[in-house]
């Protein structure tokens, strides 16, 4: 299964120390890549990089700041000499287990412009900037794989009935910002795949479904009932798909959206 091997490859993962990002790093490293673990907090990045089975490094970078992205690129090149894989994973998500707004603030009619802009700034503009700075280096050497992490909520609308408690009281509304940005990630992926197709850089999206993560029992039950496979995902269930997209196993694939959602979007 040599086509899945990432031996000798160098991968950058943004938002690397978050819930799923850690497993992206683990997957790429276990497949043989050297991993640049990047997120906002340098201590967490360093700690995670030291747990990787291949030589890896932690670098702090705010993806909304182009100057920090240039440092990320130059530090990567000084350390490993090149970059082959970019996983655009960093995002702000208003998860039910970590709500960003009060119930009243989360209502569409009240949703603040500041929040809307902030989420677009990280989830869309940050991805654009990271792809511009890091991806241009790949296009220059005519080789690379970019994986943009989207979401089921970039394909279908949030089912707001999930955010009710057992007694029918509403806990929150899923924000209008998050799905808007994830739809944009899928469109941006197609744009860049077409733009860089002849430059040897493949660009694909990976759309995860909801990961079980300290949500209350009722939410997990409702989410599971709504999912054809009857459960939420575990955070390591995107590892196989990620290695597939990063490696030569997907050499004829670009502009696609690999949906790994337990069937959430099929009905
Ligand atoms: N958790 C889920 O159920 C789920 C479902 C579908 C899609 N996703 C997507 O998967 C990806 C990872 O999600 P997660 O659940 O691990 O989220 P998370 O919140 O645990 O991790 C996101 C990471 O992004 C980082 N980040 C935020 N702003 C940043 C910035 N400006 N610069 C650099 N890093 C920044 C955060 O520090 C954090 O570590 C996201 O793109 C998310 O939209 C998650």
């Amino acid at each position: 299964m040599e086509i899945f091997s990432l031996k000798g490859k160098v991968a950058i993962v943004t938002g690397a120390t978050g819930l799923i990002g850690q497993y992206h790093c683990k997957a790429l490293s276990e497949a043989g890549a050297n991993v640049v673990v990047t997120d906002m907090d340098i201590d967490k990045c360093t700690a995670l990089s030291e747990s990787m089975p291949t030589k890896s490094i932690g670098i702090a970078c705010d993806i909304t700041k182009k100057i920090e992205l240039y440092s990320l690129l130059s530090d990567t090149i000084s350390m490993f000499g090149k970059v082959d894989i970019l996983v655009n994973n960093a995002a702000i998500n208003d998860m039910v287990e970590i709500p960003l707004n009060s119930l009243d603030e989360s209502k569409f009619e009240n949703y603040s412009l500041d929040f809307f802009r902030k989420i677009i700034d990280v989830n869309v503009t940050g991805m654009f900037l990271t792809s511009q700075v890091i991806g241009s280096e790949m296009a220059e050497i005519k080789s690379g794989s970019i994986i943009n992490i989207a979401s089921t909520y970039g394909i279908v609308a949030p089912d707001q009935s999930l955010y009710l408690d057992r007694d029918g009281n509403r806990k929150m509304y899923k924000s209008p910002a998050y799905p808007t940005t994830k739809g944009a990630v899928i469109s941006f992926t197609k744009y860049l795949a077409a733009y860089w197709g002849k430059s040897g850089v493949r660009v694909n999206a990976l759309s995860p479904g909801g990961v079980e993560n300290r949500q209350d029992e009722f939410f997990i039950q409702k989410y599971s009932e709504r999912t054809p496979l009857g459960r939420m995902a575990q955070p390591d269930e995107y590892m196989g798909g990620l290695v597939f997209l990063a490696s030569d196993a997907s050499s004829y694939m670009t502009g696609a959206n690999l949906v790994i959602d337990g069937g959430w979007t099929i009905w």
Side-chain angles (χ1 to χ4, degrees), residues 74-254:
S74 68
D75 291 352
T76 303
I77 301 293
S78 332
M79 180 81 178
F80 296 117
K82 59 171 183 166
V83 53
D84 304 291
I85 298 155
L86 167 64
V87 184
N88 276 315
N89 170 72
I92 300 179
N93 184 1
D94 52 336
M95 303 185 208
V96 68
E97 63 274 30
I98 317 166
L100 298 174
N101 304 101
S102 67
L103 168 58
D104 213 39
E105 287 167 345
S106 72
K107 279 189 81 172
F108 175 74
E109 291 82 350
N110 303 338
Y111 197 75
S112 100
L113 179 58
D114 282 350
F115 257 104
F116 196 78
R117 284 191 170 140
K118 191 174 171 206
I119 294 180
I120 287 186
D121 198 33
V122 175
N123 300 11
V124 181
T125 314
M127 184 172 288
F128 152 76
L129 281 176
T130 313
S131 304
Q132 194 177 49
V133 172
I134 311 291
S136 298
E137 178 71 18
M138 296 174 171
E140 189 77 30
I141 59 166
K142 297 210 169 299
S143 168
S145 174
I146 299 178
I147 299 134
N148 296 328
I149 307 300
S151 169
T152 47
Y153 284 169
I155 304 167
V156 295
D159 177 350
Q160 301 287 5
S161 73
L162 275 178
Y163 306 99
L164 300 171
D165 69 16
R166 205 178 283 277
D167 301 321
N169 300 313
R170 181 160 293 284
K171 293 181 286 189
M172 64 178 271
Y173 287 93
K174 187 77 185 179
S175 85
Y178 183 74
T180 302
T181 63
K182 292 300 171 175
V185 167
I186 296 168
S187 297
F188 174 66
T189 299
K190 292 178 189 170
Y191 171 86
L192 209 52
Y195 184 81
W196 272 337
K198 293 193 177 71
S199 303
V201 181
R202 298 186 298 108
V203 189
N204 291 289
L206 192 164
S207 286
V211 174
E212 191 176 329
N213 174 40
R214 295 181 284 119
Q215 297 95 346
D216 65 68
E217 206 183 306
F218 186 63
F219 178 87
I220 295 172
Q221 182 196 321
K222 294 266 289 185
Y223 194 102
S224 301
E225 281 166 7
R226 169 77 179 68
T227 309
L229 284 186
R231 62 177 178 85
M232 297 192 79
Q234 294 304 309
D236 62 358
E237 291 192 302
Y238 304 107
M239 292 172 71
L242 187 80
V243 170
F244 168 66
L245 292 177
S247 68
D248 288 346
S250 60
S251 56
Y252 197 55
M253 191 167 170
T254 199

